[in-house]
Amino acid sequence: MRASTLTDVGEIAVEERERPEPAADEVLVQVGACGVCMTDYHMYHGTFAVETPLVLGHESAGTVAEVGDDVAGFEVGDRVAINPTVPCNACSYCKRGETHLCENNTSIGGAGDTILDGAFAEYVRVPAINVEDIGEMAFEHAALAEPLACCVHGVEEVGVKPGDSVAIIGAGPIGLLLLQAFRNAGAAPIVVSELDEERRELAAELGADAVVDPEAEDPEVAIPEAAGGPVDVGAEAIGLVPTIQQANAVTAPGGSTLVFGVPDQEATMEISPFDVFFDEVGYRGSFSLTTEDFERAVTLLRYGRVDADALVTERIGLDDLPTAFERMGDAEGLKKVVVPGEGE
């Protein structure tokens, strides 16, 4: 099979590899589509350190090509989405159902204590418990199940209730998924701050009640004006210290600031302990997902509660990953999806 392999910082090689063989409790999936994530971008640029060589790609869907001897419930030809998070199910976090905090987390192509080869390849092997049936959903849409599940988890982390106000800083692919997750949870109003005009327009189409151009007006003033005051949740979906601070600045006393974008591992910032104490504003991080989050995300996609088609703007082949990373760095387009065989 062909696979796009990260061989060093900033270097991708398309290689011929042996097709994996599934273990007794695994399935082999022929990859139909795999989304390109900002985590992949950080790994590629070395700002999220990983050991190489490694096949990245953790937002994927495809067709079951082989089934391990002990697998029940799936057969060759089934169309599935892949949950890349493989918990140990033995540590105290897993026993409490907090599998996203697993002390011995294994990830298929993503960030984890142990990282297995991912889905920027023609085939990937996966524990059978980590796949969900997608019916006839397009693979490019089903590949959004993992980032959407992270968004579902983030919404759960801040405990949003119907009628809670939300501000989202950043309307890239993840910010737009987060917008739809908050909307499905009943948040209102939702205000989105985004530099790019087309992304602001799309945010409005996908359910934002108001949009803010941070170049034309100060978000720390414009967001409370649009929301009728400071918001219950200020969510940052970019991963930069200034925008995290901005999200916190518009969060109401008693509210939550959600750090959802992927910051640089070396980034630091100052906070006022007194403000945290006096205003009872909590910072919440949201890094991963649980098995339940993934199942919910697939359901939302299957039943059309999330517009996936509007977010997928580029379909590329295995050879085009470096170009995709370059375009991501320039904030060009929205979701890039690798389709093995595309462009050959």
Side-chain angles (χ1 to χ4, degrees):
M1 71 170 188
R2 298 175 77 239
S4 287
T5 305
L6 180 68
T7 56
D8 204 341
V9 173
E11 295 183 11
I12 295 283
V14 180
E15 302 176 334
E16 289 287 340
R17 290 187 163 205
E18 289 293 322
R19 182 168 127 170
E21 293 291 332
D25 62 346
E26 295 178 331
V27 295
L28 182 70
V29 177
Q30 182 175 8
V31 178
C34 184
V36 187
C37 173
M38 282 305 294
T39 302
D40 302 317
Y41 177 90
H42 283 289
M43 290 175 171
Y44 174 75
H45 285 287
T47 50
F48 202 131
V50 294
E51 292 186 14
T52 57
L54 178 68
V55 179
L56 304 179
H58 59 278
E59 304 177 353
S60 60
T63 306
V64 175
E66 289 184 43
V67 176
D69 292 340
D70 295 340
V71 173
F74 291 99
E75 58 186 35
V76 172
D78 285 349
R79 306 173 83 258
V80 296
I82 298 171
N83 177 356
T85 301
V86 186
C88 72
N89 293 318
C91 70
S92 60
Y93 292 107
C94 286
K95 289 176 181 177
R96 294 199 299 260
E98 298 176 327
T99 53
H100 59 297
L101 299 177
C102 174
E103 293 177 343
N104 308 293
N105 175 51
T106 295
S107 175
I108 300 165
D113 301 301
T114 301
I115 306 175
L116 307 177
D117 282 330
F120 289 149
E122 292 179 325
Y123 293 89
V124 62
R125 63 188 185 95
V126 189
I129 197 171
N130 280 63
V131 297
E132 288 284 338
D133 183 82
I134 62 169
E136 296 305 312
M137 191 190 338
F139 292 133
E140 292 92 338
H141 297 172
L144 294 181
E146 191 274 346
L148 177 59
C150 291
C151 293
V152 169
H153 182 73
V155 171
E156 180 74 16
E157 282 289 286
V158 291
V160 164
K161 299 180 290 295
D164 281 351
S165 56
V166 172
I168 300 173
I169 311 297
I174 202 70
L176 293 169
L177 280 175
L178 195 57
L179 161 64
Q180 296 183 78
F182 275 123
R183 195 163 186 267
N184 275 305
I190 302 174
V191 183
V192 174
S193 175
E194 166 60 43
L195 285 167
D196 184 83
E197 182 179 3
E198 290 185 4
R199 292 183 176 188
R200 287 197 303 274
E201 291 174 354
L202 183 54
E205 292 174 13
L206 294 176
D209 299 288
V211 294
V212 170
D213 177 357
E215 281 191 325
E217 48 190 340
D218 182 356
E220 294 184 21
V221 175
I223 288 173
E225 286 181 350
V231 295
D232 296 303
V233 176
E236 198 275 356
I238 300 172
L240 300 174
V241 168
T243 41
I244 294 171
Q245 292 172 324
Q246 195 176 86
N248 181 253
V250 301
T251 302
S256 297
T257 298
L258 178 64
V259 181
F260 200 87
V262 183
D264 190 306
Q265 280 182 303
E266 304 303 318
T268 61
M269 71 179 196
E270 293 184 0
I271 63 171
S272 166
F274 181 81
D275 288 347
V276 173
F277 157 76
F278 191 76
D279 292 335
E280 296 190 359
V281 170
Y283 281 91
R284 295 293 302 182
S286 185
F287 157 68
S288 189
L289 67 148
T290 66
T291 302
E292 179 184 356
D293 297 325
F294 192 79
E295 182 180 11
R296 290 180 184 278
V298 171
T299 301
L300 289 170
L301 287 164
R302 286 190 70 172
Y303 286 90
R305 299 300 192 272
V306 170
D307 187 339
D309 196 53
L311 303 185
V312 178
T313 57
E314 296 174 58
R315 294 162 178 80
I316 63 174
L318 290 170
D319 300 281
D320 298 324
L321 265 178
T323 301
F325 290 135
E326 181 179 339
R327 287 176 57 76
M328 289 169 71
D330 294 334
E332 296 180 20
L334 288 170
K335 195 66 179 177
K336 285 86 172 142
V337 175
V338 170
V339 179
E342 186 88 359
E344 290 183 27

